[in-house]
Amino acid sequence: MTLIVDIHTHVYPQSYMDMLRARKTVPYVHDPQSNDPPRLIILSSDDDSSIPLDKRGRPVDASYWDIDVKLAFMRRHGINSSVISLANPWLDFLTPAEAQIWAERINDDLEATCARVNRATDPDGTRALHEKETLFAFGTLPLSAPSPSIVVNEIKRLKSLPHLRGVIMGTSGLGKGLDDERLDPVWEALQETQSLLFLHPHYGLPDEAFGGAEATSRYGHVLPLALGFPLETTIAVTRMLLAGVFDRFPRLMILLAHSGGTLPFLAGRIESCILHERNFIANGGDVQGPKRSVWEVLQTNIYLDAVVYGTAGLKAAVAAAGSTDRLLFGTDHPFFPPLDGKEDEDWPSVTTNYKAINASFGDDAESVAAVLGGNAARILDLK
């Protein structure tokens, strides 16, 4: 049997939902007076005063916080193991005084949830990974804490939690992007502990990039999610490359959401622009510039999820990564559910990924098995 591991799957613990319900500014949860489901408003474009409060954001159901619903989803789609993570916007919006408390609470909740599920599905610890449903997790970080040392301490603490396999983080970092030198202690801690960083977008691009608020309102989430998220990831990682982050921390391991955005496709153009940039010392300027090539970084430091929904994107990802060994299956659950609300049917967002993987590598059964679960089990030491 092929082991299937979902490395891109989110959960909002009940405590997190309660916190969002108590807020009135983005991000927040609004409970309509009717029997309609709660509304999750996490993007600034969702919080449009011209839209009635009961229509803003997106409706959310128990799939966002109920682990039993997550397990049912896994069984429905043949998934053996999921690496759950808090979804955007994580804890970026918290005040410095709150950040550490909430990070520890959320991460302890994730550990307890994984432990409870894994004991229930394999009480004596003898079943193989592909014979049960198991959960692992990426922890969240208190990035708004008063000092990076608090973030570093949480990274190190997570290594003591048996079911935590890394951390998830957005592209804002400490508020100024991922090329911020104040993040060096964080990169050092991740490298030292060999903790995988799952880098996920949230902030997108300004509405003006898509034609203004009118366009984003008319077309819903299509422009910010389909274009803004991938470009956000590409820009963030390119800034890290230009700032020499991968030169200073050559063993840093990063998993990029959505197959790295547009990075695999644009890697050659990025490298060419670097080689021709007169500001860099290598070309007679006075700015250091990156010492390692984008190709080396992609094939050494970067892993890509397979949440790209098409063969063209998957083949670009593999071409950039150098092999299928750095590509990992994911679903992005509970986002993109069937719009008819039927819980007993397959999710097109998942089956599309399965079809794309098989269409891309179907002649190579070993590669298909590696992408679907073997790579994740090896990289994250899932046992």
Side-chain angles (χ1 to χ4, degrees), residues 76-93:
R76 175 74 193 182
H77 295 91
I79 297 166
N80 306 107
S81 189
S82 289
V83 186
I84 57 177
S85 55
L86 186 65
N88 49 308
W90 313 285
L91 305 177
D92 292 3
F93 55 90

Side-chain angles (χ1 to χ4, degrees), residues 61-375:
D61 58 19
S63 63
Y64 282 72
W65 59 83
D66 190 329
I67 290 299
D68 289 334
V69 176
K70 177 80 70 180
L71 293 171
F73 167 84
M74 291 170 61
R75 288 189 288 271
R76 175 74 193 182
H77 295 91
I79 297 166
N80 306 107
S81 189
S82 289
V83 186
I84 57 177
S85 55
L86 186 65
N88 49 308
W90 313 285
L91 305 177
D92 292 3
F93 55 90
L94 292 180
T95 65
E98 299 174 299
Q100 180 179 1
I101 295 171
W102 274 102
E104 292 176 356
R105 181 180 301 174
I106 294 294
N107 291 333
D108 289 345
D109 282 351
L110 291 173
E111 169 61 28
T113 297
C114 293
R116 174 177 59 81
V117 168
N118 295 353
R119 282 195 302 268
T121 59
D122 188 13
D124 57 5
T126 60
R127 300 177 69 187
L129 199 60
H130 65 268
E131 296 175 333
K132 56 189 176 184
E133 287 94 32
T134 55
L135 295 183
F136 298 89
F138 292 126
T140 191
L141 297 177
L143 292 171
S144 61
S147 168
S149 64
I150 296 175
V151 184
V152 168
N153 288 339
E154 185 62 9
I155 291 171
K156 293 179 178 179
R157 189 182 78 90
L158 292 176
K159 293 298 289 186
S160 68
L161 302 182
H163 298 94
L164 271 290
R165 288 298 186 272
V167 299
I168 188 169
M169 181 174 165
T171 63
S172 176
L174 302 178
K176 294 185 177 181
L178 302 185
D179 54 352
D180 184 352
E181 289 186 356
R182 295 179 302 158
L183 279 167
D184 276 9
V186 176
W187 304 139
E188 184 176 5
L190 290 170
Q191 176 174 265
E192 178 188 336
T193 59
Q194 280 298 276
S195 298
L196 182 69
L197 166 63
F198 181 22
L199 185 62
H200 193 294
H202 169 71
Y203 300 95
L205 300 178
D207 285 348
E208 290 72 20
F210 307 118
E214 181 181 352
T216 55
S217 176
R218 179 187 307 165
Y219 304 127
H221 289 118
V222 174
L223 292 171
L225 294 186
L227 303 179
F229 271 26
L231 286 170
E232 176 189 344
T233 300
T234 305
I235 293 168
V237 177
T238 303
R239 286 174 64 180
M240 292 177 70
L241 176 76
L242 295 175
V245 171
F246 297 107
D247 298 329
R248 297 193 299 278
F249 305 100
R251 294 184 293 111
L252 189 63
M253 302 187 302
I254 303 181
L255 169 65
L256 300 183
H258 316 126
S259 285
T262 60
L263 187 62
F265 181 79
L266 294 178
R269 183 172 179 84
I270 293 168
E271 185 68 10
S272 178
C273 289
I274 290 172
L275 293 175
H276 290 86
E277 180 49 59
R278 290 185 172 88
N279 281 349
F280 293 152
I281 289 175
N283 300 323
D286 57 4
V287 177
Q288 174 56 61
K291 297 178 182 178
R292 300 172 64 203
S293 74
V294 65
W295 300 111
E296 182 184 350
V297 168
L298 279 166
Q299 296 173 16
T300 306
N301 302 91
I302 302 295
Y303 299 94
L304 305 171
D305 76 16
V307 185
V308 70
Y309 310 111
T311 57
L314 287 175
K315 290 179 178 180
V318 171
S323 74
T324 55
D325 292 344
R326 309 185 75 82
L327 190 64
L328 296 80
F329 173 75
T331 66
D332 215 348
H333 181 264
F335 298 98
F336 306 105
L339 292 180
D340 57 17
K342 294 181 179 178
E343 297 182 358
D344 59 345
E345 67 178 32
D346 292 343
W347 289 38
S349 57
V350 180
T351 57
T352 301
N353 274 347
Y354 275 137
K355 290 175 182 177
I357 291 169
N358 281 290
S360 298
F361 318 116
D363 293 336
D364 183 352
E366 288 188 6
S367 291
V368 171
V371 173
L372 289 178
N375 291 340

